[in-house]
Amino acid sequence: MTERIWEDLLSEQDKQVITKAGYDKEGASSWESRGLGENPMVLVIDMQQLIVGDDEPILDAVEQYRTAMGEIAWRAIDHMEPFLEFVREHDIPITYTRVVPSSYDDPDHPDLAIVDPVAPEEGDTVIDKSYASAFYGTDLVSRLIRADVDTVVIVGNSTSGCVRATAVDAQSNGFNVVLPQECIFDRIEASHKIGLLDLWMKYAEVLEVEEVKSYLDEMGVLA
């Protein structure tokens, strides 16, 4: 059973509401907010140098890049790197996004590069974006439809920002959304936990990475 990392933030009334209203079993009542399809794709969100930074405490990392998350990001990479290796072994497609801030004139600037441990490999798709959602102003929907994808597995950052926006847009466009919680991170712990809670209640399956690997392993067998 998945460890719900947000439980320590909930009051007793919060827990009762989640149970009595059925969010723990069914998610949102207005649409099918949770599900696991048969043709997944992994989306790696904005794992770039200016967001990751060096492997050091975040208060040190922000001295170089105000957006950097330092060791918070690198602890997620510890899970993300072997997870992506597993995904590749199962021939599941991977798409990367890069955010290109308007303050950067050169889209090839080293600050915008995806960090080496989780960098794209030959055959992977990289989509540049200007806003939080990987869907806004990009051709991602068309790519997913052409590939007959029904489920997006999202890793990267940040839980309360680009991951959330991408997950909501994915669900709104009819795709199942899966979030391996160890592979997602945010600079503020409360934002991370609450973001995962909100996404779990209304838009996505939030699972531990080993549970997601079991699901993907089954999809590999079906393929």
Side-chain angles (χ1 to χ4, degrees):
M1 180 178 294
T2 306
E3 178 187 359
R4 305 298 184 193
I5 65 171
W6 52 79
E7 287 288 328
D8 61 327
L9 300 181
L10 300 178
S11 68
E12 188 57 39
Q13 177 174 288
D14 292 336
K15 295 175 183 178
Q16 291 179 18
V17 168
I18 289 170
T19 300
K20 191 167 185 177
Y23 286 100
D24 56 336
K25 302 295 184 183
E26 301 179 40
S29 61
S30 301
W31 52 80
E32 295 181 6
S33 64
R34 297 190 201 130
L36 300 172
E38 296 183 356
N39 195 12
M41 176 181 284
V42 173
L43 294 179
V44 183
I45 306 297
D46 303 349
M47 292 299 297
Q48 297 159 258
Q49 181 62 36
L50 81 164
I51 297 170
V52 173
D54 294 333
D55 189 356
E56 60 186 359
I58 186 171
L59 292 177
D60 295 325
V62 297
E63 293 182 5
Q64 182 176 11
Y65 303 107
R66 65 183 296 267
T67 51
M69 301 190 214
E71 63 185 4
I72 294 173
W74 285 96
R75 297 298 75 78
I77 289 172
D78 288 342
H79 295 280
M80 201 181 304
E81 183 178 6
F83 176 69
L84 293 177
E85 291 175 1
F86 176 91
V87 169
R88 297 185 198 283
E89 290 170 358
H90 286 70
D91 295 322
I92 293 166
I94 301 174
T95 293
Y96 288 77
T97 68
R98 298 190 321 153
V99 61
V100 181
S102 58
S103 57
Y104 281 83
D105 296 328
D106 179 9
D108 296 320
H109 194 286
D111 289 356
L112 305 180
I114 296 168
V115 296
D116 285 342
V118 293
E121 297 186 3
E122 185 176 355
D124 296 337
T125 299
V126 180
I127 296 174
D128 285 350
K129 64 187 181 72
S130 301
Y131 299 95
S133 173
F135 289 86
Y136 188 82
T138 75
D139 64 351
L140 181 56
V141 168
S142 297
R143 290 178 178 275
L144 294 174
I145 291 173
R146 285 199 300 269
D148 199 29
V149 169
D150 59 12
T151 302
V152 291
V153 180
I154 301 174
V155 302
N157 74 99
S158 65
T159 317
S160 61
C162 296
V163 168
R164 178 185 174 88
T166 299
V168 172
D169 279 359
Q171 207 283 332
S172 299
N173 279 286
F175 301 100
N176 298 310
V177 181
V178 180
L179 304 175
Q181 62 184 16
E182 298 96 326
C183 298
I184 297 168
F185 58 97
D186 205 320
R187 58 184 52 80
I188 304 297
E189 184 178 7
S191 297
H192 176 59
K193 291 182 177 182
I194 292 169
L196 284 179
L197 166 64
D198 286 345
L199 288 166
W200 169 74
M201 286 183 64
K202 302 168 187 174
Y203 303 105
E205 293 275 8
V206 178
L207 302 171
E208 292 177 352
V209 68
E210 290 302 319
E211 295 174 300
V212 178
K213 287 167 68 174
S214 295
Y215 156 62
L216 295 178
D217 189 51
E218 184 179 347
M219 292 306 99
V221 170
L222 291 176

